[in-house]
Amino acid sequence: MLAKVLSSTLLGVEAHLVEVEVDLASGLPTFTTVGLPDAAIRESRERVKAALANSGFPFPLKRITVNLAPAHLRKEGTAFDLPIALGILRAAGYLPGDALHRYLVLGELSLDGRVKAVAGVMPMSFAARQAEVAGLLVPAENATEAAVSGVAPVFGVATLAQAVGFFTGSETLTPTVCDVAALFRRTAVYEEDFADVRGQAHVKRALEVAAAGGHNVLLIGPPGAGKSLMARRLPSILPDMTLEEAIETSKIHSVAGLLSREKALVATRPFRAPHHSTSDAGLVGGGAMPTPGEVSLAHNGVLFLDELPEFRRSTLEVLRQPLEDAQVTIARAALSVTFPARFMLVAAMNPCPCGWRGDPQRTCLCSTQQLQRYRARLSGPLLDRIDLHVEVPPVPYAELRTAAPGEPSAAIRARVNAARARQRARFGGALPHNAAMGVREIRRYCKLDSAGEQLLAQAMRHFGLSARACDRICKVARTIADLAGEERIAAAHLAEAIQYRTLERW
């Protein structure tokens, strides 16, 4: 007898519907799975056998063939355990056939019959719109994130017996309801705030400019100056996240298995801070079946690379494509996957190997050769792609111990929102922010007066700036003018943008 159950698989961050066909035929008992399954799916036969037996259901001694259609699409993961088990029970005559095929079923089975959470349920639930299903049957832990899509009623199950009872009518399940707007408002709260930061007014100003225009930032200063402290608070001054951005980001985190029942929606700008020992694949994604890396998990948020020179140079160089294209493409022999990666890069480094160069209280012990080797770890093309280079000096004791709080993130974010609103009106939605401007947009929207042209020409000669660095300065100046509410870029705006190129003066 043949049974069919609808399920889904992931290809990158996109979900594709899969029809699980189960056929029971006479012959020697075997269990074969076809349709380009990965090792986890092939191993499902052992989990399914044990789960059926420990849930009180007899395992049919038949020749069982499971086909995952379409057969040309590679499938991976453990989400097919539950649909395969239900398909076997339907083919053996233990389940009615009038309801099973109308539901999208996902879930991993443990040996005792419990249904465990799986990754990627949110994009899979959105894919169910293509099939116009009557509902979704998912693990109870994934029910809230599946309900975010609002495509169809979502039923969370904790055990295989509960899933069987749902289709036989002996078990009544209440659909999981998710008020997405209320969930978004409730969770859109930042725990970190710039009010905690004492002093460093010029650094906070630079971060405000970066947030207003979506510019990349490099913070340079001795240990303990507050580089990490301020970087972690940068998401709190970025423009308010929209619901569409939250869902887009949540899909990526769902694929990575980072969503939980309590936090089924990423409503704040993500902040990712990988260790400097991370691999290329860990940073941009990879694997036989590519999975998202840190640059994609930071989509619509901040990627923070602390101790930048300690990262392997080859690892840093793979950042070039996502920094330019806001996406990363991973090619394999069998497939090519593209992950979104629109993020702000915030990096931090010491001014020298020992960390005390330029510190008024400590003496730098680094030789000229050590200093040159340290700086050579960062390539020119990568530094050119970072718009703002900001020096972070030590905070004086008087400022550090002051009782007066700093300016709160909400006040800074209000100015950033106003600047972004001017940019949206200027670009008509074609570009997200000033940092995304290309050569044509720079020529059109970053026109300088004679004083500005003279100042920029002098800076290029004096610092030996590249053409890319010149364009970056113009884009930063455009953002500074937007923060000031000015339509034209004045010489003062350009001068501030030039002084954010600290490394050019080294």
Side-chain angles (χ1 to χ4, degrees):
M1 186 174 178
L2 179 66
K4 296 183 179 181
V5 186
L6 189 64
S7 190
S8 183
T9 191
L10 293 169
L11 189 61
V13 294
E14 297 298 325
H16 299 265
L17 297 179
V18 174
E19 193 173 52
V20 180
E21 301 175 321
V22 181
D23 178 68
L24 269 59
S26 301
L28 292 174
T30 59
F31 195 132
T32 306
T33 304
V34 297
L36 290 183
D38 71 346
I41 299 175
R42 289 193 296 270
E43 293 172 353
S44 68
R45 61 178 178 267
E46 306 302 333
R47 293 191 296 271
V48 169
K49 285 180 183 179
L52 286 172
N54 292 321
S55 299
F57 303 106
F59 188 80
L61 298 177
K62 298 281 188 177
R63 186 160 59 88
I64 303 173
T65 303
V66 177
N67 179 45
L68 307 177
H72 72 277
L73 188 67
R74 290 184 177 273
K75 293 90 181 175
E76 66 169 351
T78 57
F80 292 102
D81 288 4
L82 183 58
I84 289 175
L86 294 177
I88 290 174
L89 292 176
R90 169 68 191 109
Y94 294 104
L95 289 180
D98 55 346
L100 185 57
H101 69 280
R102 295 188 290 111
Y103 285 80
L104 180 73
V105 183
L106 304 165
E108 176 186 341
L109 290 175
S110 63
L111 300 185
D112 60 1
R114 288 179 294 114
V115 180
K116 302 171 71 173
V118 295
V121 168
M122 183 178 289
M124 291 178 184
S125 65
F126 278 95
R129 184 182 290 113
Q130 306 170 23
E132 299 181 356
V133 297
L136 288 81
L137 199 70
V138 302
E141 290 291 326
N142 297 124
T144 304
E145 67 173 283
V148 169
S149 66
V151 171
V154 175
F155 300 93
V157 292
T159 64
L160 173 60
Q162 193 177 31
V164 173
F166 173 73
F167 288 110
T168 59
S170 62
E171 186 87 27
T172 301
L173 297 179
T174 303
T176 300
V177 179
C178 178
D179 186 338
V180 181
L183 176 64
F184 178 70
R185 290 193 300 270
R186 186 172 66 253
T187 55
V189 178
Y190 292 95
E191 297 180 359
E192 310 283 357
D193 197 285
F194 264 95
D196 303 328
V197 181
R198 299 293 188 267
Q200 305 290 20
H202 77 287
V203 183
K204 289 188 281 187
R205 165 64 179 178
L207 292 178
E208 179 181 341
V209 171
H215 303 287
N216 303 318
V217 188
L218 175 60
L219 303 176
I220 309 164
K227 302 185 295 294
S228 300
L229 178 76
M230 289 182 281
R232 290 187 179 278
R233 284 155 177 75
L234 180 58
S236 68
I237 65 171
L238 289 176
D240 295 321
M241 205 170 189
T242 65
L243 181 57
E244 292 74 18
E245 287 177 322
I247 292 176
E248 185 181 24
T249 305
S250 299
K251 285 182 179 180
I252 302 172
H253 285 243
S254 175
V255 171
L258 298 179
L259 296 185
S260 63
R261 181 184 294 184
E262 294 75 22
K263 189 176 181 181
L265 190 69
V266 180
T268 56
R269 300 282 177 182
F271 179 86
R272 303 294 301 182
H275 191 260
H276 60 75
S277 63
T278 189
S279 64
D280 299 8
L283 193 60
V284 299
M289 289 291 288
T291 54
E294 292 291 340
V295 297
S296 296
L297 294 173
H299 183 61
N300 289 323
V302 173
L303 176 68
F304 177 52
L305 302 183
D306 199 7
E307 303 295 343
L308 186 65
E310 302 302 325
F311 283 79
R312 288 188 293 271
R313 182 159 181 160
S314 61
T315 301
L316 293 177
E317 293 306 305
V318 300
L319 286 173
R320 292 193 194 182
Q321 183 204 5
L323 284 174
E324 290 292 335
D325 304 334
Q327 63 182 23
V328 57
T329 300
I330 302 172
R332 294 290 181 266
L335 75 164
S336 178
V337 176
T338 298
F339 295 110
R342 184 174 62 250
F343 60 91
M344 272 185 62
L345 174 63
V346 180
M349 62 179 288
N350 295 329
C352 65
C354 75
W356 305 118
R357 181 177 182 271
D359 190 284
Q361 303 297 327
R362 294 177 174 87
T363 302
C364 174
L365 302 177
C366 301
S367 65
T368 303
Q369 188 177 13
Q370 287 177 315
L371 190 60
Q372 289 175 345
R373 281 201 303 266
Y374 183 71
R375 294 173 181 172
R377 296 178 187 177
L378 305 178
S379 69
L382 176 64
L383 292 176
D384 265 356
R385 288 171 170 82
I386 300 178
D387 302 344
L388 288 81
H389 308 156
V390 185
E391 289 189 73
V392 185
V395 182
Y397 178 81
E399 292 185 7
L400 186 64
R401 301 300 297 171
T402 181
E407 186 177 22
S409 293
I412 303 174
R413 187 166 63 247
R415 296 194 294 269
V416 170
N417 281 327
R420 285 288 182 100
R422 295 186 184 96
Q423 294 167 40
R424 286 194 299 271
R426 179 183 302 121
F427 302 134
L431 297 174
H433 43 60
N434 285 338
M437 285 192 294
V439 175
R440 292 182 180 179
E441 290 81 14
I442 293 174
R443 290 175 179 172
R444 180 177 179 182
Y445 301 116
C446 299
K447 295 179 180 179
L448 306 176
D449 55 20
S450 57
E453 292 286 359
Q454 185 177 359
L455 179 61
L456 184 58
Q458 184 179 356
M460 287 196 69
R461 287 194 302 269
H462 184 72
F463 298 123
L465 301 176
S466 67
R468 182 186 286 117
C470 179
D471 288 343
R472 300 273 172 177
I473 289 174
C474 290
K475 289 192 281 189
V476 173
R478 175 70 272 168
T479 300
I480 295 171
D482 289 338
L483 281 170
E486 302 290 340
E487 189 58 37
R488 296 188 61 84
I489 298 175
H493 305 145
L494 190 64
E496 183 178 354
I498 292 172
Q499 64 98 16
Y500 289 134
R501 303 295 296 188
T502 296
L503 287 182
E504 314 294 353
R505 302 196 296 272
W506 277 18

